Amino acid sequence: MSPTSLRRWGWIHKWSSLVCTAFMLLLCLTGLPLIYHHEIGHLLGTDVEAPAMPVDTLRGNIDAVLASAKELYPNKMAMYMSQEIDEPAIWNVTLGDHPNDEHYKPIAVDARTTEVITEPAFEGGAFMSTMFRLHVDLFAGLYGKLFLGFMGLLLIVAVVSGAVLYAPFMRKLDFGEVRHERSRVIKWLDLHNLLGIVTLVWVLVVGATGMVNTWADLLLKYWQNTEIAEMLKPYEGQPPATRLASIHEAIVRAERAEPGMKVAFVAFPGTPFTSSHHYGVYMRGEEAFSSRLYKPVLIDAATGEITDRRELPWYLTALLLSQPLHFGDYGGQPMKLLWALLDIGTIIILGSGLYLWFKRSRKARAANQSKPAAHESPALARSTESP
């Protein structure tokens, strides 16, 4: 590689890294507890657990589940019902004042007894809620997500440019060598390069999937304006449903229509994931990856009959597949441990990059200050610097 190309790649690596490093550090620090959000929630007592019962205990009537939740807030409307893949004994019911209420009330109801268990803390309590919002959108909504997506793009550029620079750098050294006999700066440079290569693939995967996740709102809006709009054409001009059919029967019909799949969540009429005429019943598989892929079944909220069902478009499939890859929460504790170790390694890379830049900048400033001014002779400059 020519010296000009090396300088160009060096410039790209330097500035793409500097611009995104502070935000990437924030994302790595907030992402670390999110990897273990279930365990932290259990430790803090914010995780909801269903009472122990025999495994073959039958599921209760889902209309009764909804009624139990609404007894707490009779003036609020149902927005969503959902079940976690690892906790089918609990229905999570969301109630609000209107279909887009951001100050909704989450209620956990036992799916077997149909009795309310608790009102869980949002996102696992104040600490986890803060970590989650900082990691997802910096408390800035869509604009925060898009900004972090751009930082993710710069991270990918920094990683690729760093790999390009690493190849000629390592021609003079053994692969992964850390020169302990040299200065502290050289040792940190070698460690920075070593960890960068070790975590290269992981950082690219997490950076790319994180960037895709920041587009979720835009992709969902596009899907609603295209495929969902097409599914709802027969209902154009009709007034919203006023009397709703049994949600229990609607879910049973969806399960019969999609054998081998389970309900992930139900969107009630008027919410963003359905229309004012339908229950949106979103089904998912039972395997590690298929449990992340939803299939919408639209059910007429007035009659309880299925009106349409289809596979998600490729871009939403890519979005949903990117989420378990980003958080590493589909492979059990070994995967979580690996993700945590790689996250810590990335924190060290980012921190050492800032340290190296600071040292080089200070050295460059010192060198510039020691240079003679253009109108001074070198001898005069040396004489003025002498004690």
Side-chain angles (χ1 to χ4, degrees), residues 18 183-186 188-189 351-367:
L18 284 176
S183 68
R184 181 182 298 178
V185 172
I186 294 297
W188 272 109
L189 175 62
S352 61
L354 284 176
Y355 168 76
L356 292 169
W357 173 78
F358 174 75
K359 284 291 187 180
R360 287 177 177 175
S361 298
R362 191 166 69 174
K363 185 177 180 181
R365 285 195 301 270

Side-chain angles (χ1 to χ4, degrees), residues 110-361:
D110 194 308
R112 304 151 303 179
T113 65
T114 74
E115 296 177 357
V116 171
I117 300 174
T118 186
E119 292 185 58
F122 176 71
E123 296 296 345
F127 172 73
M128 293 304 294
S129 175
T130 301
M131 294 297 101
F132 179 79
R133 289 298 305 274
L134 284 172
H135 193 83
V136 170
D137 63 5
L138 299 175
F139 290 93
L142 177 61
Y143 295 108
K145 291 180 181 179
L146 296 178
F147 175 78
L148 290 178
F150 179 64
M151 293 299 104
L153 176 61
L154 289 180
L155 174 66
I156 294 171
V157 172
V159 170
V160 172
S161 58
V164 171
L165 292 170
Y166 186 71
F169 173 80
M170 287 307 298
R171 288 174 186 166
K172 305 173 184 178
L173 302 171
D174 294 331
F175 179 79
E177 181 181 353
V178 178
R179 291 166 288 181
H180 295 284
E181 73 281 0
R182 301 292 297 274
S183 68
R184 181 182 298 178
V185 172
I186 294 297
K187 286 189 289 187
W188 272 109
L189 175 62
D190 290 345
L191 183 62
H192 178 85
N193 291 332
L194 173 60
L195 288 175
I197 289 300
V198 169
T199 62
L200 175 68
V201 174
W202 182 83
V203 173
L204 283 175
V205 168
V206 171
T209 53
M211 183 173 63
V212 171
N213 286 335
T214 64
W215 302 338
D217 292 350
L218 298 178
L219 294 177
L220 285 171
K221 184 63 68 176
Y222 178 75
W223 175 61
Q224 291 164 354
N225 292 334
T226 53
E227 293 203 19
I228 289 293
E230 181 183 339
M231 295 167 75
L232 299 176
K233 278 185 178 179
Y235 291 82
E236 286 183 354
Q238 295 186 23
T242 54
R243 187 168 182 174
L244 302 182
S246 164
I247 187 60
H248 181 89
E249 294 299 326
I251 289 175
V252 168
R253 282 194 176 95
E255 290 174 335
R256 289 173 180 166
E258 299 294 340
M261 302 188 80
K262 300 293 184 182
V263 176
F265 72 95
V266 179
F268 283 80
T271 52
F273 288 90
T274 184
S275 75
S276 57
H277 308 281
H278 292 84
Y279 293 125
V281 182
Y282 289 77
M283 312 295 292
R284 65 177 166 202
E286 297 186 79
E287 302 300 327
F289 264 116
S290 64
S291 66
R292 304 288 180 157
L293 297 177
Y294 300 149
K295 184 173 184 179
V297 179
L298 289 187
I299 297 178
D300 190 303
T303 66
E305 299 295 329
I306 295 175
T307 62
D308 204 339
R309 55 194 174 98
R310 59 181 68 183
E311 302 292 339
L312 288 177
W314 67 268
Y315 52 88
L316 285 187
T317 299
L319 171 65
L320 292 171
L321 285 178
S322 72
Q323 292 172 348
L325 283 173
H326 186 73
F327 289 104
D329 59 355
Y330 63 93
Q333 292 302 323
M335 179 69 79
K336 289 186 177 184
L337 177 60
L338 176 62
W339 248 237
L341 292 174
L342 290 168
D343 187 288
I344 293 170
T346 305
I347 291 172
I348 296 173
I349 294 169
L350 295 168
S352 61
L354 284 176
Y355 168 76
L356 292 169
W357 173 78
F358 174 75
K359 284 291 187 180
R360 287 177 177 175
S361 298

